[in-house]
Amino acid sequence: MAANRTPTIEDELLVVYTGGTFGMRDEGHGLEAAADRESTLAALVRAADPSARPWRYLPIPRIIDSADADLTHALSIAATIRDHVTGARGVLVVHGTDTLAYTAAVAAFALADVPIPIVFTGAQRPVDEPGSDAPANFALAYRHADDGAPGVRIAFGGSVLPAVRAVKRSADEDEAFAAFRPLAADAAGTAVLRSRLAALDPRQRGGRPLPAVGLLRVFPGLDARLVRAAADLYPDGLILECYGAGTAPTSDTALRQTIEDATRAGTPVVAITQCQTGTVQLRRYAVGAALHRAGAWDGYDLTADAALAKLGVLTALGLDADERRALFAINLVGEQSTG
């Protein structure tokens, strides 16, 4: 390792450690994130790259169980990468699996202007456990973080997936992640997003708090009061995970009125589908058309993680309401196949 050397352009590979099962230990209360993993990762780098090319260990300030991750955590990882990316040939991020797809999706939007590979990985079993999947996942991620292909990906269980399409599919299988939808082509909004990122750092918000963006799943018997409470708690955006082609029980007048009140107050309500494949078509059914008339945005075929990440990053950039809606509606980094 060459932690104290001065890197040259496209020389160092950054290994960002954030916590998660990968490096956990059981101290008597169940598995907990361990902060002292530099020597472990150094051994994994040596195994993955016998040529000993330069790399740098970069832990984030607060190592966590990824169940505690939120937008602040995800943007802090993106900011750490941005602060140290000059001179890097690639970035490998070790992250917990529970929110790995979400954090990686945030990075995909927040670092869309960074032209090097950024690869997230983790493990289902701690690296010290016999038979752990951590070494294989790390080796896979290392190879792809060093392949020169820009963009944010997830390397896990033998697969390499686009971050904005990946979802966690299993709590215990080694093949924990899948992408049921392909990376969308013709990302017409990429250049626009890159220009906004170059002009405005998401961390510099004039003392304003980071966006409050949340998600609520539609279910049989959904009460309008729950939707109202969610919209109040998440005034910067509410992702509504709907049935099928974007339907919800909007024959309930109170529910329909609640959504309309929220959108009129400036809270985006975004309809996505609970299904693994397919896309929202709000005007196909009368109950979906009622969502559209109430002001709900079309979430197309976004995954829940990508929808939360996209709305969170666009809001963090401080865009005005019209530009945020316009950018949300178009494919920025391959996250949606329409728009």
Side-chain angles (χ1 to χ4, degrees):
M1 184 178 69
N4 297 318
R5 65 190 299 280
T6 301
T8 57
I9 296 298
E10 298 180 352
D11 185 19
E12 271 190 337
L13 191 141
L14 301 180
V15 177
V16 181
Y17 178 65
T18 73
T21 300
F22 189 107
M24 283 186 173
R25 297 188 179 100
D26 189 342
E27 304 293 347
H29 304 284
L31 290 171
E32 299 177 90
D36 55 340
R37 282 306 196 180
E38 182 172 7
S39 61
T40 300
L41 293 174
L44 291 174
V45 169
R46 288 194 296 272
D49 186 8
S51 65
R53 296 183 68 192
W55 71 284
R56 182 164 30 139
Y57 175 69
L58 193 62
I60 63 170
R62 180 169 170 256
I63 303 300
I64 65 169
D65 184 310
S66 72
D68 289 329
D70 56 13
L71 182 60
T72 300
H73 166 81
L75 284 178
S76 73
I77 292 172
T80 296
I81 292 170
R82 186 176 293 281
D83 288 345
H84 295 87
V85 77
T86 300
R89 66 183 190 271
V91 182
L92 189 163
V93 183
V94 176
H95 194 282
T97 61
D98 287 343
T99 52
L100 190 153
Y102 168 73
T103 301
V106 168
F109 292 109
L111 300 172
D113 57 331
V114 175
I116 61 173
I118 301 172
V119 183
F120 281 70
T121 195
Q124 294 284 57
R125 297 175 299 284
V127 65
D128 296 331
E129 272 191 16
S132 170
D133 57 330
N137 287 344
F138 186 91
L140 178 66
Y142 193 98
R143 288 198 303 275
H144 286 272
D146 210 15
D147 68 7
V152 182
R153 291 164 283 170
I154 292 172
F156 206 105
S159 298
V160 180
L161 308 168
V164 290
R165 288 307 213 175
V167 296
K168 187 177 180 182
R169 57 163 291 276
S170 176
D172 48 20
E173 295 178 16
D174 285 357
E175 298 79 17
F177 291 87
F180 298 104
R181 299 174 173 94
L183 188 68
D186 301 323
T190 303
V192 178
L193 178 60
R194 285 174 178 166
S195 70
R196 298 301 183 272
L197 291 167
L200 185 64
D201 189 324
R203 294 166 297 169
Q204 296 172 351
R205 293 177 48 80
R208 290 174 293 163
L210 283 171
V213 176
L215 179 145
L216 182 64
R217 186 179 178 92
V218 171
F219 58 89
L222 176 64
D223 193 300
R225 291 171 295 181
L226 180 58
V227 179
R228 187 177 301 278
D232 288 344
L233 286 168
Y234 301 104
D236 294 310
L238 178 63
I239 310 298
L240 202 60
E241 201 172 5
C242 298
Y243 304 130
T247 63
T250 53
S251 56
D252 177 349
T253 305
L255 179 63
R256 188 170 63 248
Q257 187 62 54
T258 294
I259 293 170
E260 186 173 340
D261 290 345
T263 58
R264 283 184 174 176
T267 297
V269 176
V270 180
I272 63 171
T273 178
Q274 298 174 10
C275 300
Q276 292 179 341
T277 61
T279 188
V280 165
Q281 303 172 56
L282 283 180
R283 301 186 190 186
R284 181 176 181 185
Y285 296 97
V287 289
L291 280 175
H292 176 74
R293 290 194 300 273
W297 297 4
D298 194 321
Y300 305 101
D301 60 348
L302 288 166
T303 68
D305 291 306
L308 277 170
K310 185 175 186 178
L311 190 54
V313 170
L314 291 178
T315 305
L317 284 170
L319 305 175
D320 64 41
D322 290 341
E323 187 172 23
R324 181 174 51 157
R325 181 163 190 171
L327 280 177
F328 190 88
I330 60 178
N331 179 25
L332 299 177
V333 291
E335 76 280 2
Q336 64 191 50
S337 60
T338 53

